[in-house]
Amino acid sequence: MISRSKLGGRITLRYCPRLSQSSLSRRAGLNTMAKLPRLPVPDLRKTLDRYLQSIQPFLREDEARGHSLFEASYEKRVQWANDFEKGIGRLCQHKLHELDAHSPHNWLDDNIWTNYAYLSWRAPLLINSNWWLTFINDPSIPESILRGDTRSGIEPWQVRRAACILHRVLDWRTRMVNQHPDPDTTRTGVWLLTNTEKMFNTCRLPRAGADVLTTRNPASEHAQDIMLMLHDFVYTVRVCEDDRTPLPVRTIEDRIRSVVLDVIERMESGESAVPVGVLTSDDRDRWAENYQYLLSLSPANASTFRAINESIMALSLDHYTAMPLHYPTPTSPSSSQSSHASIPALDSDAEIHAHLHNTRSPPRARNRFFDKSLTLSLERNTRAGAMGEHAPVDALVPSIAFDYGVVAGIDSSAFSEPVPRPLTLEEARVSDGGKGWTRLDWVTDERIEAQIREAEGRAQASINNSEAGVLEFGEYGADWINSVARLPPDAYTQLALQLAWYRSRGFLTATYETALTRMFNAGRTECVRSASVEGLDFVQAAKEWGRGAECAAEGGQREVEPRALLPLLQHAIQTHARRTREAATGRGIDRHLLGLKLMLEELPVDASTSASSSDSPSSSSPTDPPQKRTHPLFTDPLFSRSQEWKLSTSGLSAGDQFRGTGFGAGWEDGYGINYLIAPHRIKFCVESKFSSPLTSTNKFKQHIADALRDMRAICEAGELELNDRKKKSVDGVDTRAQARL
């Protein structure tokens, strides 16, 4: 299991840090924009009622499997909910209101969520927590470059595309962060402006028990630099003026070229980098220990960390074109071998998947700094993507920035030479090094180098265990779902995932869908519980229908008319759409339940209301560590089961500039699924673990495609029936009219 651990310790209030004069002016300007309301503390009774509704499908399945009767099991949970509401729950609710009153923005995001969901999680960021995006190719780049080769070394077109994407992203940053406040700015605009600033010039810092985020320092000498990695060498490159205006794109290209040439010369002289960045892929507590040890070795390491932490973002240039596991590895830079026949065809599944895997998890976790909030990476053949640490913002914000960064492509008129010059050792020897960029060096010893080797092994094992893939379903998309099925596309897609899971596993699972609470000041996300009684009714009826016939027990497929399934599908989608609205408007349940549980744990354990009770499903012994105060509502195994998100899902956008996106599965036998709904296609990016015999990304992709095809047939059959009814109604009116005549 790789689920997040429970948050321990006391809840501390986090107040806003001292702001610079420019930040204060900007904050005052934002106050003239549309006012965003505070995220409310939801009503206690309504949260409990919604929670009770959400566990009903699991109790129904338990009864069907002969475990326990629904009525008795459900009544017990109702009693626990009522006891909590009338008793200790009132105090917990009061404490949440007090917390909210002392919070700058709201009770949840100022105090609880970032720490609980991200910073206190000790699993490696690699695959498990960081998000990733892979971009479409730039058609202005020669196809001979795009196809890639098996040689090693930096390609000039790679540098040019890196400069162009970087320049556009920096332009986006400037437009957002320096934008003159406008009273007409919409609430969504305010949300985007405030969140854009959060993802630049920051980094996650490892600490024992729980990490922290660096405080942005606009006055830092590195505030207008990027971090650049190549062959695990680390540099800073100045890319903006002091007012955050990006330097001309040709200047950025020249400076990146200079760094590349410097690395070429260093490697030619026999120097090799110590890949300290690999340590950021490790378990967080182990990395925290190594981080402190590095600081103790030399003040130079503290300076290097400070430059990394305070830089705008990271750029990683990979010296190879990534290949699937069974393809050749890159040859040496001097090799003349470059067989295009030995690499996957452009835009083939193998080629797209190699791109995706390298963006989020390069071999041995090399040439990356996983703690950085934003990393743009490019391979030798100019394939580009981004990866980021999740704590500062959710993936939608950087996806908007990178969409802007990629859509324009390379503007050749911005460069003095339409075709970039080759990068040669001769040029490296005469390059005027040092202008606009700085080397960042590490001081290490045998202990750190041994730790790096061990971390590399653990990282590669995680990479090898991850099965990620992309399903581009092109038979229909949002246009058909809206206009023909007349259903909301997101809820429709969620029901397809429910059906795919049920056909693959034969039971329901807790399903997490991300809902944005962007209508609130500093709002981030809430959980939509996709599993419902109505959804269970639909997937049980549709499991053995259509392409699900292979799931039928011996005796053959059930005779179910597709038009009989349509009302079940519609009711399930209505329930999901309602839950989505509730979550997005501050009436979700999971963040509230988390807050209540944490407030309860802060209370002293009273013998009269001990952490365990006769009705509680948990027990303790004298040898156990001191218990936190709790309640049967929270110690109920069903409470935990209802949050075992073996389907962890999130929709992003139409994603026209993205080949794939993703995040890791939260459970060993589950799936992490990001999806992009466009007018005429739906793209699914699925991650699971090879180590689980219960999951298979490739098989699940097929289940998703089959579910979408069957749901279309169900909707079309219902539409035909509706048209038949209308025709019969019209014919009946005509017949009666003729009879009167």
Side-chain angles (χ1 to χ4, degrees):
M1 186 181 75
I2 49 177
S3 61
R4 290 165 171 77
S5 61
K6 302 301 181 186
L7 177 64
R10 299 188 62 82
I11 302 298
T12 56
L13 299 179
R14 297 191 177 125
Y15 296 97
C16 289
R18 182 180 298 274
L19 300 174
S20 66
Q21 189 59 46
S22 61
S23 296
L24 288 170
S25 299
R26 171 174 164 78
R27 190 66 57 88
L30 287 173
N31 289 335
T32 69
M33 297 185 183
K35 295 287 186 180
L36 298 185
R38 292 177 74 89
L39 180 75
V41 178
D43 179 82
L44 178 57
R45 182 68 251 175
K46 290 180 179 178
T47 289
L48 294 173
D49 287 341
R50 289 171 181 143
Y51 166 70
L52 291 171
Q53 290 174 359
S54 75
I55 62 174
Q56 288 183 23
F58 302 107
L59 292 174
R60 275 185 44 178
E61 282 202 310
D62 287 346
E63 182 179 56
R65 287 172 169 77
H67 297 312
S68 57
L69 294 176
F70 174 87
E71 291 297 336
S73 297
Y74 184 66
E75 182 58 32
K76 182 183 292 187
R77 273 78 187 186
V78 170
Q79 290 175 4
W80 288 338
N82 291 340
D83 177 76
F84 183 75
E85 181 203 12
K86 296 172 183 176
I88 197 66
R90 290 182 178 180
L91 179 57
C92 296
Q93 183 79 346
H94 177 71
K95 286 176 67 67
L96 282 180
H97 280 289
E98 282 188 333
L99 186 63
D100 186 51
H102 291 87
S103 302
H105 302 107
N106 65 67
W107 62 275
L108 175 66
D109 298 290
D110 291 334
N111 306 285
I112 297 173
W113 184 243
T114 301
N115 192 29
Y116 175 81
Y118 303 111
L119 299 179
S120 66
W121 198 21
R122 311 322 291 154
L125 302 182
L126 171 71
I127 301 173
N128 297 315
S129 182
N130 282 15
W131 51 263
W132 57 85
L133 309 166
T134 54
F135 309 147
I136 61 172
N137 289 321
D138 190 327
S140 66
I141 294 173
E143 185 177 346
S144 59
I145 301 296
L146 292 173
R147 288 175 61 194
D149 54 38
T150 57
R151 285 186 293 188
S152 176
I154 298 300
E155 161 62 46
W157 281 104
Q158 177 187 7
V159 173
R160 176 155 295 184
R161 191 182 189 204
C164 289
I165 296 176
L166 186 61
H167 185 268
R168 291 273 296 180
V169 171
L170 295 171
D171 179 56
W172 171 266
R173 166 182 176 254
T174 303
R175 289 171 182 268
M176 293 293 105
V177 177
N178 290 353
Q179 178 166 317
H180 182 71
D182 184 345
D184 295 328
T185 302
T186 65
R187 288 181 173 183
T188 299
V190 174
W191 171 83
L192 185 57
L193 288 170
T194 54
N195 278 281
T196 294
E197 190 170 19
K198 293 177 183 177
M199 67 182 178
F200 294 109
N201 297 98
T202 190
C203 192
R204 181 164 168 168
L205 302 181
R207 297 288 186 269
D211 298 343
V212 297
L213 290 175
T214 58
T215 301
R216 288 182 301 280
N217 179 13
S220 166
E221 62 180 306
H222 306 294
Q224 309 311 326
D225 296 345
I226 62 161
M227 168 192 182
L228 192 155
M229 296 187 74
L230 170 59
H231 284 288
D232 293 296
F233 289 105
V234 184
Y235 293 76
T236 56
V237 181
R238 180 58 54 92
V239 292
C240 291
E241 303 286 1
D242 289 340
D243 65 355
R244 297 170 171 159
T245 302
L247 297 175
V249 64
R250 60 183 177 275
T251 301
I252 295 175
E253 181 191 39
D254 287 343
R255 290 183 175 182
I256 295 173
R257 281 181 62 92
S258 294
V259 169
V260 172
L261 294 170
D262 187 60
V263 171
I264 291 173
E265 188 171 27
R266 294 172 78 174
M267 294 182 68
E268 185 67 19
S269 66
E271 187 178 352
S272 61
V274 179
V276 171
V278 172
L279 296 174
T280 66
S281 72
D282 213 354
D283 170 88
R284 300 307 296 173
D285 285 335
R286 188 180 288 112
W287 167 219
E289 181 180 346
N290 285 321
Y291 181 91
Q292 293 301 322
Y293 184 74
L294 280 164
L295 289 176
S296 73
L297 285 179
S298 170
N301 290 339
S303 297
T304 294
F305 277 128
R306 185 167 57 252
I308 291 171
N309 298 339
E310 296 175 355
S311 64
I312 300 169
M313 57 182 288
L315 168 65
S316 290
L317 297 179
D318 293 331
H319 61 281
Y320 53 82
T321 298
M323 301 290 171
L325 292 177
H326 58 285
Y327 280 76
T329 56
T331 54
S332 66
S334 60
S335 172
S336 62
Q337 300 298 315
S338 178
S339 172
H340 288 297
S342 66
I343 63 176
L346 193 64
D347 294 323
S348 65
D349 283 348
E351 189 262 332
I352 291 172
H353 291 171
H355 181 192
L356 184 152
H357 278 263
N358 190 72
T359 297
R360 65 97 204 253
S361 53
R364 296 181 294 159
R366 299 290 289 266
N367 208 45
R368 298 289 188 276
F369 203 84
F370 291 93
D371 289 4
K372 198 63 183 162
S373 56
L374 288 180
T375 298
L376 169 66
S377 61
L378 286 92
E379 300 173 37
R380 173 178 164 81
N381 69 337
T382 75
R383 285 193 307 218
M387 172 197 66
E389 202 281 307
H390 224 139
V393 294
D394 294 288
L396 178 61
V397 183
S399 77
I400 295 171
F402 281 111
D403 187 286
Y404 180 84
V406 173
V407 66
I410 294 175
D411 179 7
S412 59
S413 66
F415 301 92
S416 57
E417 299 168 301
V419 176
R421 302 188 314 277
L423 292 155
T424 64
L425 182 60
E426 289 71 24
E427 185 182 357
R429 287 169 177 160
V430 299
S431 175
D432 58 338
K435 185 177 181 181
W437 52 270
T438 305
R439 291 181 179 181
L440 299 180
D441 294 319
W442 301 104
V443 175
T444 62
D445 63 7
E446 291 183 358
R447 169 180 163 175
I448 285 295
E449 291 172 14
Q451 288 290 312
I452 290 170
R453 289 191 295 272
E454 292 176 12
E456 272 190 5
R458 288 186 289 268
Q460 192 59 48
S462 294
I463 293 168
N464 293 344
N465 190 36
S466 175
E467 183 185 10
V470 177
L471 166 65
E472 184 156 358
F473 183 82
E475 296 176 25
Y476 64 92
D479 281 0
W480 183 89
I481 300 170
N482 275 318
S483 61
V484 179
R486 293 190 293 276
L487 294 168
D490 182 79
Y492 183 98
T493 303
Q494 282 289 322
L495 263 294
L497 294 174
Q498 291 287 305
L499 181 55
W501 172 275
Y502 202 82
R503 285 175 169 177
S504 67
R505 301 288 285 273
F507 62 89
L508 204 64
T509 188
T511 304
Y512 185 110
E513 183 194 0
T514 303
L516 292 175
T517 53
R518 62 187 179 192
M519 67 178 291
F520 299 105
N521 186 15
R524 285 195 63 165
T525 61
E526 176 59 271
C527 169
V528 182
R529 293 193 171 203
S530 298
S532 66
V533 169
E534 294 81 4
L536 179 61
D537 289 339
F538 170 69
V539 298
Q540 284 180 332
K543 175 187 175 184
E544 299 171 5
W545 183 84
R547 292 166 181 81
E550 63 193 48
C551 301
E554 265 186 65
Q557 182 176 346
R558 291 181 184 175
E559 293 296 329
V560 182
E561 288 290 329
R563 61 188 179 186
L565 296 172
L566 181 59
L568 297 177
L569 174 61
Q570 291 171 330
H571 292 157
I573 285 178
Q574 288 168 2
T575 296
H576 185 84
R578 187 192 73 246
R579 290 185 178 181
T580 302
R581 288 192 300 271
E582 290 170 350
T585 54
R587 295 174 290 161
I589 67 170
D590 280 282
R591 307 292 190 264
H592 190 201
L593 290 170
L594 170 64
L596 292 167
K597 184 173 181 290
L598 292 174
M599 294 302 102
L600 179 62
E601 291 174 353
E602 290 291 303
L603 298 175
V605 177
D606 185 358
S608 62
T609 55
S610 63
S612 298
S613 70
S614 59
D615 286 332
S616 175
S618 66
S619 61
S620 60
S621 70
T623 59
D624 288 338
Q627 290 182 312
K628 298 176 182 178
R629 189 155 178 184
T630 186
H631 187 275
L633 179 72
F634 299 121
T635 56
D636 179 13
L638 187 57
F639 181 86
S640 299
R641 179 179 160 195
S642 73
Q643 294 182 330
E644 292 178 359
W645 316 114
K646 296 189 179 181
L647 267 183
S648 181
T649 72
S650 181
L652 202 56
S653 62
D656 293 332
Q657 305 305 315
F658 304 137
R659 302 178 100 188
T661 59
F663 51 84
W667 291 78
E668 192 76 26
D669 58 342
Y671 296 96
I673 303 175
N674 194 231
Y675 53 89
L676 312 168
I677 306 176
H680 304 294
R681 58 121 177 101
I682 309 175
K683 188 177 292 185
F684 297 87
C685 308
V686 183
E687 198 274 345
S688 65
K689 310 303 179 191
F690 283 116
S691 56
S692 172
L694 301 174
T695 58
S696 165
T697 290
N698 283 333
K699 290 180 180 178
F700 199 71
K701 283 161 53 179
Q702 187 60 54
H703 280 299
I704 295 172
D706 288 345
L708 287 168
R709 293 182 183 115
D710 286 345
M711 287 168 62
R712 178 172 186 167
I714 290 167
C715 292
E716 288 177 338
E719 182 72 15
L720 287 173
E721 183 180 28
L722 179 62
N723 291 336
D724 287 344
R725 287 178 181 175
K726 289 180 179 179
K727 185 176 184 301
K728 289 178 181 178
S729 176
V730 171
D731 290 345
V733 171
D734 290 344
T735 300
R736 290 192 297 273
Q738 290 172 5
R740 285 196 299 271
L741 292 173

Coordinates of all heavy atoms in Angstrom, one line a residue, residues 177 226 234 274 305 359 467 469 490 522 571 640 728:
V177 N 1.8 37.8 -13.1 CA 2.3 38.4 -11.9 C 2.3 39.9 -11.9 O 2.1 40.5 -10.9 CB 3.7 37.8 -11.6 CG1 4.3 38.4 -10.3 CG2 3.6 36.3 -11.4
I226 N 16.9 30.7 -14.0 CA 16.4 29.4 -14.0 C 17.5 28.5 -13.6 O 18.7 28.8 -13.7 CB 15.8 28.9 -15.4 CG1 16.9 29.0 -16.4 CG2 14.6 29.8 -15.8 CD1 16.6 28.2 -17.7
V234 N 24.8 21.2 -12.8 CA 23.8 22.2 -12.4 C 24.3 23.6 -12.6 O 25.4 23.9 -12.2 CB 23.3 22.0 -10.9 CG1 22.2 22.9 -10.6 CG2 22.9 20.5 -10.7
V274 N 28.5 14.8 -10.0 CA 28.0 13.9 -9.0 C 26.5 14.1 -9.0 O 26.0 15.3 -8.8 CB 28.5 14.2 -7.6 CG1 27.9 13.3 -6.5 CG2 30.0 14.1 -7.6
F305 N 22.1 25.0 -2.9 CA 20.7 24.8 -2.6 C 19.9 26.1 -2.6 O 18.7 26.1 -3.1 CB 20.5 24.2 -1.2 CG 20.7 22.7 -1.1 CD1 21.6 22.1 -0.2 CD2 20.0 21.9 -2.0 CE1 21.8 20.8 -0.2 CE2 20.2 20.5 -1.9 CZ 21.1 19.9 -1.0
T359 N 9.7 11.8 -19.4 CA 9.3 13.1 -18.8 C 9.1 13.0 -17.3 O 9.6 13.8 -16.5 CB 8.0 13.7 -19.5 OG1 8.3 13.9 -20.9 CG2 7.6 15.0 -18.8
E467 N 3.6 1.0 -14.7 CA 3.1 0.8 -16.1 C 2.1 2.0 -16.4 O 1.0 2.1 -15.9 CB 2.3 -0.5 -16.2 CG 1.8 -0.8 -17.6 CD 0.9 -2.0 -17.6 OE1 0.5 -2.6 -16.6 OE2 0.6 -2.5 -18.8
G469 N 0.4 4.4 -19.5 CA 0.0 4.4 -20.9 C -1.0 5.4 -21.2 O -1.7 6.0 -20.3
D490 N -18.1 15.3 -18.1 CA -17.3 14.8 -17.0 C -18.0 13.7 -16.3 O -17.4 12.6 -16.0 CB -16.9 16.0 -16.1 CG -16.0 15.5 -15.0 OD1 -14.8 15.3 -15.2 OD2 -16.5 15.2 -13.9
A522 N -8.3 31.4 -2.0 CA -7.2 30.5 -1.8 C -7.7 29.0 -1.8 O -7.1 28.1 -1.3 CB -6.5 30.7 -0.4
H571 N -29.7 8.4 -14.1 CA -29.8 8.6 -12.7 C -28.4 8.6 -12.0 O -28.1 9.5 -11.1 CB -30.6 7.5 -12.0 CG -32.1 7.6 -12.4 ND1 -32.9 6.5 -12.4 CD2 -32.8 8.6 -12.9 CE1 -34.1 6.9 -12.8 NE2 -34.1 8.1 -13.1
S640 N -12.5 3.9 6.6 CA -11.2 3.8 5.9 C -11.5 3.3 4.5 O -10.9 3.7 3.5 CB -10.3 2.9 6.7 OG -10.0 3.5 7.9
K728 N -45.0 8.1 -32.7 CA -46.3 7.5 -32.4 C -47.2 8.5 -31.9 O -48.4 8.5 -32.2 CB -46.1 6.4 -31.4 CG -45.4 5.1 -32.0 CD -45.2 4.1 -31.0 CE -44.5 2.8 -31.6 NZ -44.3 1.8 -30.6

